[in-house]
Amino acid sequence: MSESSIRPPVAARRPILRTHHGDSFQDPYEWLRKKDDTEVIAHLEAENAYTDARTAHLEPLREQLFQEVKARVLETDLSVPTRRGDWWYYGRTEEGAQYGIQCRTAADPGDWTPPQLEPGAPVPGEQVLLDGNAEAEGHEFFSLGAFDISDDGSRLLWSVDVDGSELYTVHVRDLVSGERLDDVIENTGQAFFTPDGQSVIYTTRDEAWRPDTLWLHRLGTPANADVKLFHEPDERFWLGAGITRSKRFLVIGLGSKVTSEELLLDLSDLTASPRVIWPRRDGVEYSVDHAVVDGEDRLLILHNDGALDFELVSVALSDPEGERRVLLPHTAGTRLLDVDCFRDFATVEYRSGGMPRAAILDYRSGELDVVEFDEPLYEAYFSGNPEWHAPFLRMGYTSFVTPSMVLELELATGEKHVRKQQPVLGDYDPAAYGQRRVWATAPDGAQVPISLVWKRSFGDPGTQPRPVHLYGYGSYEHSIDPGFSTMRLSLLDRGVVFAVAHVRGGGEMGRHWYEDGKELNKRNTFTDFIACARHLVETGVTTPERMVAEGGSAGGLLMGAVANMAPELFGGILAGVPFVDALTSILDPSLPLTVVEWDEWGDPLHDPEVYAYMKTYTPYENIRTDAAYPRILAMTSLNDTRVLYVEPAKWVAALREAGAQDVMMKCEMSAGHGGVSGRYNAWRERAFEIAWMLDVLRLA
C-alpha cells in the first residue's frame, strides 16, 4: 500500500455550543474529552494506527537513530557520589536496564573528596538502596518521585507513579534490617522525612490536581491518623514544603503565578501553628531561607516588593517584618533567581545579559563572588549540596557543545575541580561544533535572542541555506538555556542547525521579558518566534521548506499559534503535549489546574477582554481554511494531567477538516505529561520524532 493511499481517521462532528460574554463557538469535537468512552479510545487507537502506517518507511531510520544514541552513551555508568552524613550516595545504570539504581557506600570521617568509582567495577561496601528496574516490574510506566534518607541513614523513603498521573505512593524501608515497613501513603505529591526520621511530611492534591494540603505521618501509625499541618483553600495557590539546610525549620511555601507567602514551623514542635513571614500581598513574590550570621538567627528573603527583578534582604528571625538589611539591591536587567543558605555563605543564581550566572555571597563582607566560565553560551548552577557546612561546593555546568560536567569549588582556594564529565563515546570533538547568539527584531522593535549550534564541517550558518530545527517555549518565565544533548548530535551530524528562539514569556532577559509575553501581551510570544524564523530565512541560514519548528506543552500552544499565523514559514511543526485548546481549558475551572493558570493567561471566564484576546490566538479556534499548513506531528499521552490528550486530538481533527494535508498524532496510551518512562523507551520516542523531522527536512 502506498503512503498516499493511507487515509486518516475522521472524527465525527457532534457540535456543542459554548457561549461566553455574548460570543458563541460551535465545538464539533468536544466529545473526544470522554476518556473512558470506548469510541474515544478507538479513535485514539485509529490515530496511532494511521501514524504508524504513514511513518512505517522511517522505521529503519528510527532504529539507526536509536543505535546512534546508544553508541554514544556509556550505558553502564554512575554519578559522582554525594556526601551526606556518614555515607556517599550515588546512582548508577546498567547496560540494558531502563531505570537507575540508587546506592551508597560508607564515608571515612573527614573525607570530602568523592571516591573515584569505575563504571561496571564493584564498589567496596556498596549497599543498594533502590533498584528502579525491580520496582518497575509488571508496570508499563514507572516514575520515581520522592527519594529521601533519614538524617541518621537508617531509613529510606521513596514514592512511585505507575500510570503517569503524577499521583505517587510512598513506601518506607528500614535500611538496617532491610525490611519494608507497613507504612504506605497513597496519592501524594512531595514526601520527605522529618530530621529525626520518625515521621514523613507529605502533600496531597485537591480535585483540580492542585497541591493544597500538608500532612504529618508518624511511622507505625495508620494513615487515617495522619495530622493535617496546613491547608491552603485559595484555588490560585499551590502548596510546597521543605526543610532548611540548617535543619531548624520546615518552610511551607504558598504560591500563585504572581503572589507568594511563606510560613515557618519550628521542627522542634510540629504541633505548633506555622508562622507567616510576610503576609501575602497581591503581586508580591518572595522566598525565605534561614541563616546564622555572627551567632544571630536571620532570614534571607528574595523578593520583588518594589523590585521588578528582585532584591535580597536580611531580616531578624524574631521580627521578619522589621528592618530590612539590603544584601543585593535591585538592579534592572539582573534577575535574581534563587538563594540558598549555608553556614558561612549563601549561593546566588541570577540572570544577566540573557545568560544564567552563579555566585557566592559572603555573609560578613557582603561581597558577591561570581563563578566565571569561558564559553560565550553556557548553563551553570549549584546542585547536590545537602550539608550545612562542607569544604566543597558542587556545581553543574554544560553548554551546547560541552557535555554536562560536575564541578566542585574548593572554598578555601576557589579552585575548580572537575569530578566528572558526561562521557560521549565515539569520536565526539567539541571543537567540531560551533555555537553563537544572534538577534532578531520583533514587530515592536524588541531584540529577541536566538541561540545557534551547528557542526562546523557543513559551514557556518548563513554561508548557504541549511536545514534548521527551531525550538521555542515562551511561558511561565521559564528559560531555555544552552545544554548538551547526545540525541541532538544525530541532527547536527546530518547538517542541521539547531536554534532556540528565546521569545518573550520566558525569563531569559529578566522579569520584564516574562511580563511582556503573558496575559494580554501573550501574542508577543508568537510574533517573536515568527520574527526569529524570518530572521533565519532573511540572513540566509535556512529556507522555509527546510525549517522544522518544535515546542512542547505551553510551547505546543506556541506551535499551534504560529502554524495559524505564519504557516508559510515552516516545512514542519512538531508539537509535544500541546496546549492548543487553551481557551476551552482556561474557561473551565473544574478542569485540573485551570484556576491556578488564570494569573498566567488571564481569566476569560470572568473578564470579557481576556476572553476576546485569547480567542484571537488560541490555535483550535483559529484554524484557517485558506492556508497551506506545513506538515504537523502532535505527540500526547492518555494520562497527562497537565495538558489533556483531548486538546491535540481535537486540534488534529479540526486541522484535517480545514484541509490540512499532512497532520498526524501519536498518543501514548500508558504515560503522562513527560511521555514514556525508561531511558531506552525515551530514546526510541525521541528517535521517532527526529526521524519525522529529518523526513520533513529531506534528510531521511
Side-chain angles (χ1 to χ4, degrees):
M1 181 183 296
S2 68
E3 187 177 326
S4 61
S5 66
I6 303 169
R7 297 291 179 232
V10 178
R13 287 180 54 86
R14 296 170 188 166
I16 296 173
L17 186 66
R18 186 189 74 202
T19 301
H20 291 277
H21 309 297
D23 177 76
S24 294
F25 174 69
Q26 288 275 1
D27 190 338
Y29 301 116
E30 178 62 14
W31 66 272
L32 289 168
R33 190 176 299 276
K34 298 177 182 177
K35 179 179 176 180
D36 297 327
D37 190 316
T38 56
E39 187 179 0
V40 171
I41 296 300
H43 176 75
L44 297 177
E45 289 173 341
E47 288 281 10
N48 284 343
Y50 172 68
T51 298
D52 287 345
R54 283 288 315 280
T55 60
H57 67 290
L58 296 175
E59 174 54 34
L61 177 58
R62 293 198 292 263
E63 182 62 26
Q64 181 182 345
L65 292 166
F66 175 75
Q67 294 300 333
E68 284 177 11
V69 72
K70 275 191 68 179
R72 296 187 193 107
V73 172
L74 186 62
E75 295 177 71
T76 298
D77 200 4
L78 39 72
S79 66
V80 179
T82 297
R83 175 77 183 262
R84 182 178 172 190
D86 296 330
W87 299 86
W88 289 107
Y89 292 88
Y90 58 96
R92 58 180 176 83
T93 56
E94 294 180 350
E95 184 175 354
Q98 292 271 19
Y99 302 98
I101 303 168
Q102 307 302 319
C103 309
R104 72 179 180 182
T105 188
D108 293 330
D111 184 8
W112 289 92
T113 301
Q116 297 293 312
L117 306 182
E118 292 297 325
V123 177
E126 178 179 87
Q127 181 180 5
V128 174
L129 303 174
L130 189 74
D131 184 342
N133 303 286
E135 294 291 320
E137 286 183 7
H139 302 290
E140 289 187 51
F141 180 91
F142 171 80
S143 175
L144 179 64
F147 184 88
D148 193 23
I149 306 289
S150 60
D151 279 2
D152 66 1
S154 68
R155 284 174 171 161
L156 164 69
L157 171 158
W158 76 101
S159 68
V160 297
D161 165 21
V162 293
D163 62 9
S165 65
E166 299 183 51
L167 290 177
Y168 293 86
T169 299
V170 173
H171 304 275
V172 180
R173 178 178 292 132
D174 186 310
L175 294 176
V176 178
S177 68
E179 295 181 0
R180 184 179 295 205
L181 304 188
D182 293 334
D183 302 81
V184 175
I185 312 170
E186 305 280 356
N187 298 324
T188 70
Q190 280 187 284
F192 50 88
F193 281 121
T194 53
D196 63 8
Q198 301 301 308
S199 300
V200 174
I201 295 171
Y202 66 95
T203 62
T204 56
R205 300 173 184 263
D206 63 11
E207 292 181 356
W209 237 249
R210 175 183 65 97
D212 71 328
T213 306
L214 189 68
W215 300 87
L216 177 70
H217 171 79
R218 300 194 184 280
L219 296 178
T221 66
N224 60 13
D226 290 354
V227 176
K228 185 186 295 185
L229 295 177
F230 191 84
H231 172 70
E232 173 51 58
D234 192 325
E235 293 179 295
R236 299 174 302 157
F237 284 77
W238 283 37
L239 180 150
I243 292 174
T244 59
R245 195 174 275 100
S246 65
K247 305 295 183 183
R248 285 277 306 279
F249 300 101
L250 173 69
V251 181
I252 302 172
L254 309 167
S256 73
K257 293 290 190 286
V258 298
T259 305
S260 62
E261 181 178 63
E262 299 212 343
L263 302 88
L264 287 189
L265 188 55
D266 196 308
L267 287 166
S268 65
D269 184 9
L270 287 171
T271 63
S273 297
R275 176 187 176 196
V276 175
I277 302 305
W278 288 353
R280 70 183 67 171
R281 287 167 43 208
D282 191 46
V284 174
E285 302 165 65
Y286 70 94
S287 60
V288 173
D289 203 355
H290 171 237
V292 180
V293 183
D294 294 329
E296 179 188 3
D297 285 312
R298 306 285 298 180
L299 297 177
L300 267 59
I301 302 180
L302 189 65
H303 73 90
N304 69 341
D305 184 9
L308 181 66
D309 281 318
F310 287 71
E311 176 181 73
L312 180 65
V313 299
S314 170
V315 300
L317 173 65
S318 58
D319 184 18
E321 293 192 75
E323 178 193 6
R324 301 182 184 182
R325 299 177 188 169
V326 177
L327 301 179
L328 295 174
H330 173 257
T331 303
T334 298
R335 169 69 164 95
L336 299 178
L337 297 172
D338 188 51
V339 173
D340 275 325
C341 292
F342 295 80
R343 191 189 71 177
D344 301 318
F345 60 87
T347 59
V348 179
E349 295 182 19
Y350 65 101
R351 302 193 66 86
S352 179
M355 292 294 297
R357 310 287 181 186
I360 299 172
L361 175 68
D362 185 277
Y363 292 142
R364 292 168 179 81
S365 69
E367 293 181 0
L368 191 67
D369 184 11
V370 179
V371 185
E372 300 287 356
F373 296 95
D374 295 332
E375 291 186 274
L377 301 178
Y378 65 84
E379 182 179 7
Y381 50 91
F382 297 104
S383 178
N385 296 290
E387 294 293 329
W388 179 237
H389 175 60
F392 295 101
L393 187 64
R394 186 167 294 184
M395 298 187 69
Y397 178 86
T398 185
S399 77
F400 281 135
V401 302
T402 302
S404 299
M405 301 169 65
V406 175
L407 305 172
E408 285 193 336
L409 298 179
E410 189 168 356
L411 295 171
T413 64
E415 184 179 357
K416 296 188 187 84
H417 299 271
V418 178
R419 301 303 190 195
K420 185 180 179 69
Q421 182 163 28
Q422 173 188 356
V424 182
L425 305 184
D427 58 355
Y428 177 73
D429 177 9
Y433 301 84
Q435 60 175 347
R436 71 169 179 241
R437 180 160 285 178
V438 297
W439 300 81
T441 302
D444 64 357
Q447 295 298 296
V448 184
I450 310 171
S451 296
L452 303 175
V453 58
W454 67 95
K455 192 166 188 179
R456 295 185 189 277
S457 61
F458 291 92
D460 286 349
T463 55
Q464 61 180 353
R466 297 259 297 281
V468 163
H469 172 204
L470 178 61
Y471 186 87
Y473 186 74
S475 292
Y476 304 110
E477 202 177 2
H478 177 66
S479 300
I480 307 297
D481 288 317
F484 186 79
S485 166
T486 52
M487 204 83 191
R488 189 186 302 134
L489 293 177
S490 291
L491 285 164
L492 301 181
D493 289 351
R494 288 171 169 83
V496 177
V497 176
F498 178 68
V500 177
H502 301 285
V503 295
R504 281 176 284 185
E508 285 88 343
M509 302 297 290
R511 173 51 68 93
H512 81 92
W513 202 246
Y514 168 52
E515 293 189 345
D516 286 352
K518 63 178 290 196
E519 296 182 301
L520 295 177
N521 294 320
K522 189 62 201 170
R523 289 181 66 89
N524 285 336
T525 303
F526 318 134
T527 54
D528 281 2
F529 192 86
I530 291 168
C532 290
R534 287 196 171 124
H535 179 84
L536 295 176
V537 171
E538 291 168 359
T539 55
V541 175
T542 190
T543 60
E545 61 273 14
R546 303 195 75 190
M547 180 155 46
V548 172
E550 181 184 7
S553 195
L557 165 64
L558 169 61
M559 294 299 101
V562 301
N564 291 333
M565 296 168 69
E568 74 284 355
L569 272 177
F570 308 99
I573 288 179
L574 173 58
V577 290
F579 188 41
V580 283
D581 192 19
L583 188 52
T584 303
S585 295
I586 299 299
L587 280 166
D588 187 351
S590 71
L591 291 178
L593 309 181
T594 286
V595 174
V596 299
E597 293 291 320
W598 284 345
D599 284 331
E600 177 76 18
W601 311 97
D603 176 5
L605 182 61
H606 302 102
D607 189 330
E609 182 183 12
V610 171
Y611 175 89
Y613 185 77
M614 287 191 71
K615 195 174 180 185
T616 68
Y617 71 72
T618 47
Y620 182 59
E621 282 87 355
N622 287 281
I623 291 171
R624 296 164 54 181
T625 58
D626 64 340
Y629 279 93
R631 295 172 63 180
I632 292 175
L633 172 62
M635 304 287 289
T636 188
S637 297
L638 184 64
N639 296 326
D640 192 340
T641 57
R642 296 173 183 262
V643 179
L644 303 185
Y645 73 90
V646 67
E647 298 207 20
K650 290 169 60 176
W651 181 53
V652 165
L655 281 166
R656 289 203 191 108
E657 182 188 356
Q661 295 300 302
D662 192 344
V663 183
M664 294 185 293
M665 184 178 81
K666 186 172 187 288
C667 181
E668 292 294 338
M669 304 303 283
S670 58
H673 193 63
V676 296
S677 67
R679 57 174 177 163
Y680 294 104
N681 292 339
W683 294 347
R684 288 199 179 277
E685 183 174 80
R686 190 56 178 165
F688 180 92
E689 296 169 345
I690 291 178
W692 179 84
M693 286 193 282
L694 290 172
D695 193 43
V696 173
L697 296 171
R698 291 175 247 165
L699 295 172

